[in-house]
Amino acid sequence: MARWYQPSAQLGIYMHGSVGTGKTLLMDLFYNQVPVRRKRRVHFHSFMLDVQKRLHKYGRVDDAVRLVAWQLLEQSRVLCLDEVEVTDIADALMLKRLFEVLWAMGIVVVATSNSAPDQLYEDGLNRQLFLPFIRRLKENCNVYSLNTMDGKDYRRRHAWSGHLYHCPVAENVDGIMDEWFLKLTGVEGTDQRIEGFMGRSFRILAAEDVGRASFSYLCKSAFGAADYIAIAEMYSVLLLDRIPRLSDPSCENEARRFINLIDILYETNTILICSAEVPPDSLFFDPLQRCVLGRGHSLDATEEKGIRIVGEGGSSGRSTLMIGNMEWSATGRQGASLADLTGASFTRKAAPRAVSRLVEMQSDMYVARARSTHIRTRLAELDRMDVGSRGAH
């Protein structure tokens, strides 16, 4: 058994580069062709949430991370992770501990990211504790840069239709969004309850498989990736009202949540119909350059302190990730705010990806990927009828 788990160095692959260079396409080609039965392809958001759920089940059990690693290895010998990005100390320490065990057991990791290995968790708090993970990553994975000489974003080769993205926010834009909802569902909609992560629940306006919410509700409130995944699983179309410009430093939390939302909608082929203050290319016009807590700020999160999931997060019904006796949040949940956990490097690197995906999500090719045949047919009919064109630019 011990011999069977001996690792083979650099069997894995880590592809990084700017947006729209084909990283995910190549990973999916590999996943579909590799002759391995036990394999898994998952977005990084979903992977981290799965790990947290597993840790939560063990509670205060000693070395729960190792037990979770064994579970993951039993399910997949090849793990494909899309859009790896480390944004806070909780994720950083969890990844380090988890993959120390997984690589020692011989798992093969194929990953994509906008960041080179040495840029992961850049400017993060106590980053020195994460550096061993980066060294092991480079030992176990062949690293390839997919940056192009001309910086071309291949997602933009798809024609921009713009009929689902309404800007600027004019007086009649809410009426246009009302029209879209009514045409897609035939009813005005009611508040529906969504069951989220670890017993958390919330409500949004919905009918059939179409949901609707304001940017303010989904991105200014304490929503995390788990909540957005629950929305995407329940609805094949999301109407999002009044997206503001997100270039102001005071919008850091909102910008990160919005980027996470777009990543999850895109990954699940969810159709997005929205109204916005500015076009996609202007949403993050002035990427943030500051670090909220500043360089050199240190927290007492040492190697010896345990990592565990405890409780149900009090009245919010959300789980809490503990590092020693410190309470942290990995995905926007209870604890320190997203902006307090790392600098603005995540927004600076992830914003171009969100813009690129927003552009592609307006193309006919993306709409054709809608999960619901009914929605695909209905959207094609409404496009021919020119519904909502009054607000599109």
Side-chain angles (χ1 to χ4, degrees), residues 181 184-196 200-213 217-218 223 227 230-238:
F181 191 90
L184 287 171
T185 66
V187 296
E188 293 185 354
T190 59
D191 281 345
Q192 291 188 6
R193 179 187 177 96
I194 298 178
E195 298 294 338
R200 167 176 163 78
S201 66
F202 55 93
R203 293 179 177 274
I204 69 171
L205 182 73
E208 298 182 359
D209 57 349
V210 179
R212 182 178 182 181
Y217 177 61
L218 289 185
F223 279 77
D227 304 316
I231 292 171
E233 289 176 347
M234 183 165 290
Y235 306 112
S236 61
V237 179
L238 176 67

Side-chain angles (χ1 to χ4, degrees), residues 67-79:
L67 296 174
V68 169
W70 274 101
Q71 291 180 355
L72 294 172
L73 186 69
E74 287 177 354
Q75 294 175 354
S76 52
R77 293 299 313 281
V78 175
L79 177 62

Side-chain angles (χ1 to χ4, degrees), residues 52 87-94 121 124-126 129 197 293 297-302 305-310 313 318-342:
Q52 288 195 12
T87 60
D88 63 56
I89 187 67
D91 280 357
L93 294 186
M94 184 193 298
Y121 195 45
L125 298 173
N126 290 325
L129 300 180
F197 184 60
L293 292 184
H297 186 96
S298 179
L299 295 172
D300 185 18
T302 61
K305 293 196 173 184
I307 301 174
R308 65 189 190 280
I309 302 289
V310 299
R318 297 180 179 192
S319 65
T320 302
L321 190 144
M322 304 293 293
I323 301 175
N325 294 320
M326 294 290 291
E327 179 180 305
W328 294 98
S329 164
T331 50
R333 291 189 293 280
Q334 181 180 347
S337 72
L338 288 170
D340 288 337
L341 296 180
T342 187

Side-chain angles (χ1 to χ4, degrees), residues 108-130:
V108 175
V109 176
V110 177
T112 72
S113 178
N114 292 130
S115 302
D118 290 327
Q119 296 173 331
L120 287 172
Y121 195 45
E122 197 171 35
D123 299 327
L125 298 173
N126 290 325
R127 187 172 186 261
Q128 73 278 4
L129 300 180
F130 184 66

Side-chain angles (χ1 to χ4, degrees), residues 64-288:
V65 173
R66 181 173 293 274
L67 296 174
V68 169
W70 274 101
Q71 291 180 355
L72 294 172
L73 186 69
E74 287 177 354
Q75 294 175 354
S76 52
R77 293 299 313 281
V78 175
L79 177 62
C80 295
L81 292 174
D82 194 27
E83 302 291 359
V84 173
E85 205 64 64
V86 185
T87 60
D88 63 56
I89 187 67
D91 280 357
L93 294 186
M94 184 193 298
L95 279 174
K96 175 183 174 295
R97 290 279 305 282
L98 179 66
F99 278 91
E100 281 178 350
V101 179
L102 286 173
W103 278 321
M105 292 176 175
I107 199 168
V108 175
V109 176
V110 177
T112 72
S113 178
N114 292 130
S115 302
D118 290 327
Q119 296 173 331
L120 287 172
Y121 195 45
E122 197 171 35
D123 299 327
L125 298 173
N126 290 325
R127 187 172 186 261
Q128 73 278 4
L129 300 180
F130 184 66
L131 295 179
F133 170 84
I134 295 176
R135 289 194 293 270
R136 291 296 303 274
L137 172 66
K138 292 190 287 187
E139 291 171 0
N140 286 274
C141 294
N142 294 283
V143 178
Y144 297 99
S145 171
L146 269 65
N147 284 318
T148 58
M149 294 294 291
D150 58 1
K152 185 174 183 179
D153 178 355
Y154 286 94
R155 289 195 188 103
R156 293 179 182 260
R157 75 187 188 276
H158 305 304
W160 160 273
S161 66
H163 69 290
L164 305 181
Y165 190 104
H166 304 278
C167 74
V169 176
E171 289 184 3
N172 68 332
V173 73
D174 293 332
I176 292 171
M177 296 292 283
D178 292 341
E179 183 181 5
W180 269 111
F181 191 90
L182 188 60
K183 292 291 186 181
L184 287 171
T185 66
V187 296
E188 293 185 354
T190 59
D191 281 345
Q192 291 188 6
R193 179 187 177 96
I194 298 178
E195 298 294 338
F197 184 60
M198 300 293 182
R200 167 176 163 78
S201 66
F202 55 93
R203 293 179 177 274
I204 69 171
L205 182 73
E208 298 182 359
D209 57 349
V210 179
R212 182 178 182 181
S214 68
F215 173 92
S216 178
Y217 177 61
L218 289 185
C219 299
K220 288 188 176 182
S221 304
F223 279 77
D227 304 316
Y228 301 144
I229 290 171
I231 292 171
E233 289 176 347
M234 183 165 290
Y235 306 112
S236 61
V237 179
L238 176 67
L239 276 68
L240 187 64
D241 291 289
R242 296 181 173 268
I243 304 168
R245 187 191 291 271
L246 297 168
S247 57
D248 190 276
S250 65
C251 297
E252 172 71 4
N253 274 346
E254 292 90 329
R256 294 189 190 197
R257 291 190 182 103
F258 180 66
I259 290 168
N260 285 342
L261 174 62
I262 295 303
D263 280 345
I264 289 163
L265 296 180
Y266 182 88
E267 179 73 14
T268 55
N269 295 325
T270 302
I271 302 301
L272 176 68
I273 302 173
C274 61
S275 60
E277 182 180 346
V278 292
D281 284 316
S282 299
L283 284 172
F284 307 92
F285 179 73
D286 184 20
L288 303 178

Side-chain angles (χ1 to χ4, degrees), residues 183-185 208-209 371-379:
K183 292 291 186 181
L184 287 171
T185 66
E208 298 182 359
D209 57 349
R371 304 195 303 268
S372 166
T373 302
H374 162 71
I375 290 297
R376 287 198 301 269
T377 302
R378 192 65 183 135
L379 285 171

